[in-house]
Structures are given as structure tokens and as C-alpha cells.
Amino acid sequence: MRSSREIIEKTEKYGAHNYHPKEVVFETASGARVTDPEGRQYFDMLSAYSALNFGHLHPEIVEAVKKQLDLVSLTSRAFHNDLLCDFYEALCNLTGREKVLPMNTGAEAVETALKTARRWGNFVKGVEDGKQEIIVCNNNFHGRTITVISMSSDPSCRRGFGPFTPGFINIDYGNIEQLKAAITPNTVAFLMEPIQGEAGIIVPPAGFMKEASEICKANNVLLIADEVQTGFARTGRMFASEWEGVEPDIYVLGKALGGGIMPVSAIACNADIMDVYEPGSHGSTFGGNPLACAVSITAMEILVRDNYPKMAEEKGNYFMAKLREIKNPDIKEIRGKGLLIGVEFHVTAEKYVKALIANGVLAKETHEKTIRFAPPITISYEEIDEAMEGIRKALGK
């Protein structure tokens, strides 16, 4: 049996150093718990950045994978498969939109939304091709492609990767006056996260997204909601946009859509937007593959059947109440919705992350001073209580 140290050293030797993971190796996992090669057990409080809303290896999703693997895994989009239509229908029903375009990763879905908005802006709104503008928010995180980092305000994401894609206008997240001022006749879309995840679980001022939606409608501008991290019940609503009663023109979806098993992403919007595409204008070999569809269909069935939004809201309230009992002058604020929770410190959070890991709780700091707690929605109240024992030891004073 290889040790954690041997595995980490081999990974560092042969892999690109574009990540600096915590020194914990997952060998087995189930539900909210993972085990390393030495048999140490941890609570997973990151959930692969919300991809594991169902927990590790949800038995019904695993069974769907096994069943599909005996049938067909990949056709490409050169041919039909018998599950893509069912995936489309299920996701349209869940989002209330009329059309779906499937991809694989969240970044691909964001790119697809950008292409959709630009083409809609040219074909439908009449903006001259090449002059389309998309408004985005500072401290956003939408992925790592060249075009996506072109709208990032994080220097570490951009250094050495130029030249960048033009056509993006940045405003401060939650600043409605800046949004109004940024709109021009060439504006085709406003892209935002309902809650900024990587920025530190930043919740915008109450009413911002609703007012932004109204401003977009008044100016014939598409509202694009990046729900890759916040979607599929994570925040206590099926989609975080619902907290303000907003129905975005385009949903950007990923992570939990794959049930923690497959990379699955998509955009969902109405036909008057999606119909700007014709054969050959966009696509993906693996997007909408039968194996991914089998996983996603099962995941969406479970979300609705077991009322995951209610579970996330109630467990999130319980978890946050427990966190607020911790007495530590270094803690500046505890915030979030559902089971997307940020604990911000006055100091850098790295030492607290190390203490959490030492006490059997896996979490990670973001923007240096905030620790994200986002366990699987399937975590039990008993497991929250057990995890809180380690959290109190690590964060309490």
C-alpha cells in the first residue's frame, strides 16, 4: 500500500504545479466522509466546490452509472442517443426554460453563455458584430479559459496570459448605480454569480439581483446567472436566483448537475435566445453523452423527490447557528445561504484550515481570510454535530 506522502510526491513530480492542494489524499469516500490511505477519516466540508451536493458515491447515482455502462457511453453528437431528450426535458422542467445546450465543465458552460449572448446581441438586438459588450463583476470567478480570465479582476489569474479577449465591462459586485451607468447601446448581457463563491461567499445587497433583472429587461439586455456553484439546492433554493424571485434569461449550470460522478454542464434559456444557433456553430464531442445524461437525470430526480432545497436551507441554518456559538476575536463575520457558508477572519485563515484538517474536517481558505463550509446536502444532523466538535477545537479560543 502506498502512503499519502508517496502519492503526493509522485503527483508533484509528474504534474503541472497549477494547484497547491492540502496534503490530504482521498482513497475512499462515502456520503460526507472520506478516508486517506492511512485510514484517517475526515468530514468533507468543501464538496468539490459544490459538485458533491449528493455526497460521495450516492448509491442511486452510482447504480445509474453502472446500468448505463452496460448499454452505451458515448455517441458524439453526430448521432442521437436515447437519453439526451430526457435530460433536456428534465433540465427544462427544473429551470423553467425552453431549451438546453449541454457541455462538460462549468467553464465551457460560461463560454457557451458568452457566445450565446454575443450572437443574440448581433442577430436579434442588432449590435454590430465585434462591438458586443458584456458587463461583469469585480472579484468574479467563472473559470480559467482565456476569455473567462479576460473578465477577471484577479491578477493571479491573468499574469502572463495576455492578450485578452475584449468586450467586457467590469463593475463592483452589488453596485446597482454602476450597472446602470455601464449599459450602452452595445450592451448584450450582464453576467453575475447570485453569490460570489471564490471571492469568499459574498452575498450581494438585498434586492440587487432583482433590480438588476429589471434594469436588464428595460434595456433589452440579457441577465446571465452563473449558478455553477450555487445551483441545484446548494443555497436552500433550487437556484440561488430564486431568493429574489429572479428568472435569468440564461442559466449557467454545472458541478452538481453531474451528481459528483461525471463532468456535466449546460446553459438553459428560452427558444428566442437559443435559436441563434445552427448546425456547426457550437458543440462538444462529449457534451450530452449518454453516460452523463444517465447521471444527470437520476441526480435531478433525487433533487426534487427528496426536496434538497429544504434540506439545505434547514441544515444550513442549523450549521450557521452552531458556528456563531464559537467565540474567537479573529472571526470577523459568518455569512451565506443554505449550505454555502463563509467564515471570514480578521487575519489570514491558513492556520485555521490546518487546525481543521488536524481535527478531521476538510475545508479550504479562499481570498486568504475566508474559510468556506459547504458539506454535502446529504450530511446528517448527527454528522454536523460530530464535525462541529472538530471545528470548535480548531476555531475556538
Side-chain angles (χ1 to χ4, degrees):
M1 184 189 79
R2 292 181 298 176
S3 68
S4 292
R5 176 48 49 197
E6 289 172 322
I7 292 167
I8 291 169
E9 287 177 354
K10 188 173 183 178
T11 303
E12 291 298 306
K13 179 180 179 181
Y14 291 106
H17 295 167
N18 59 317
Y19 279 95
H20 184 55
K22 303 302 177 185
E23 295 197 340
V24 177
V25 176
F26 291 19
E27 186 174 67
T28 61
S30 178
R33 301 174 191 256
V34 301
T35 305
D36 71 11
E38 288 73 30
R40 290 184 292 257
Q41 198 170 84
Y42 305 85
F43 285 103
D44 183 355
M45 289 286 169
L46 190 61
S47 299
Y49 300 99
S50 297
L52 288 159
N53 288 3
F54 303 89
H56 290 271
L57 301 178
H58 189 291
E60 290 177 79
I61 300 176
V62 170
E63 184 58 33
V65 173
K66 290 179 177 178
K67 180 181 177 182
Q68 189 61 35
L69 280 172
D70 286 331
L71 300 173
V72 59
S73 63
L74 181 64
T75 61
S76 85
R77 294 302 305 282
F79 306 96
H80 287 281
N81 72 68
D82 66 337
L83 288 182
L84 182 58
C85 60
D86 299 327
F87 167 76
Y88 283 163
E89 182 181 39
L91 191 53
C92 283
N93 288 340
L94 206 62
T95 59
R97 305 295 89 182
E98 297 171 347
K99 297 274 188 174
V100 167
L101 197 167
M103 300 297 285
N104 307 285
T105 67
E108 286 178 280
V110 171
E111 287 271 356
T112 301
L114 298 175
K115 289 176 73 175
T116 304
R118 284 184 170 186
R119 185 168 262 213
W120 174 88
N122 177 232
F123 284 17
V124 178
K125 188 174 180 176
V127 177
E128 183 181 340
D129 196 17
K131 292 189 176 179
Q132 301 97 316
E133 295 174 351
I134 295 174
I135 301 170
V136 298
C137 297
N138 289 325
N139 296 317
N140 70 69
F141 183 83
H142 299 291
R144 301 284 191 184
T145 67
I146 287 287
T147 292
V148 171
I149 65 169
S150 297
M151 55 189 175
S152 175
S153 59
D154 183 353
S156 66
C157 292
R158 294 166 57 92
R159 187 167 60 89
F161 293 125
F164 297 108
T165 305
F168 298 108
I169 309 297
N170 284 67
I171 65 167
D172 290 334
Y173 186 64
N175 191 317
I176 204 71
E177 295 305 320
Q178 287 186 16
L179 174 61
K180 292 176 184 177
I183 293 174
T184 74
N186 291 332
T187 305
V188 299
F190 172 46
L191 168 64
M192 67 169 288
E193 301 157 86
I195 296 174
Q196 287 191 327
E198 292 303 301
I201 320 301
I202 307 299
V203 181
F208 171 75
M209 192 172 186
K210 185 173 182 61
E211 191 170 355
S213 175
E214 293 167 354
I215 290 168
C216 286
K217 282 183 174 63
N219 288 276
N220 197 22
V221 168
L222 301 180
L223 175 63
I224 306 173
D226 182 345
E227 295 255 18
V228 171
Q229 288 196 35
T230 56
F232 303 109
R234 170 53 59 183
T235 71
R237 297 290 184 271
M238 188 60 74
F239 302 103
S241 304
E242 294 174 19
W243 278 102
E244 298 210 349
V246 171
E247 293 187 3
D249 296 294
I250 301 177
Y251 280 104
V252 182
L253 307 167
K255 293 198 185 294
L257 184 57
I261 304 283
M262 292 284 291
V264 185
S265 68
I267 67 164
C269 58
N270 284 339
D272 60 334
I273 300 169
M274 194 73 86
D275 286 351
V276 298
Y277 287 109
E278 75 280 343
S281 56
H282 189 56
S284 164
T285 299
F286 277 81
N289 70 78
L291 189 59
C293 290
V295 167
S296 293
I297 291 165
T298 303
M300 286 186 275
E301 288 173 354
I302 294 168
L303 277 170
V304 175
R305 182 196 71 200
D306 295 345
N307 200 347
Y308 270 50
K310 184 173 185 285
M311 288 167 55
E313 182 176 18
E314 292 177 351
K315 290 175 183 178
N317 289 338
Y318 182 82
F319 197 173
M320 273 195 275
K322 294 285 184 183
L323 287 170
R324 289 191 171 110
E325 292 173 0
I326 296 173
K327 306 300 180 187
N328 183 341
D330 283 347
I331 294 177
K332 177 182 178 181
E333 185 183 15
I334 297 170
R335 58 179 177 262
K337 288 185 183 295
L339 282 170
L340 185 60
I341 302 166
V343 179
E344 185 178 355
F345 293 81
H346 293 288
V347 298
T348 55
E350 185 178 9
K351 69 175 182 179
Y352 287 114
V353 171
K354 289 180 178 178
L356 285 166
I357 293 172
N359 283 281
V361 178
L362 300 182
K364 198 172 187 296
E365 72 273 22
T366 181
H367 274 233
E368 295 190 350
K369 293 184 177 182
T370 301
I371 296 177
R372 178 199 328 238
F373 289 101
I377 295 170
T378 52
I379 192 171
S380 68
Y381 286 97
E382 292 76 18
E383 287 175 322
I384 292 173
D385 288 341
E386 188 178 339
M388 279 304 306
E389 293 178 18
I391 293 170
R392 286 191 198 97
K393 288 177 184 176
L395 303 189
K397 282 205 171 183

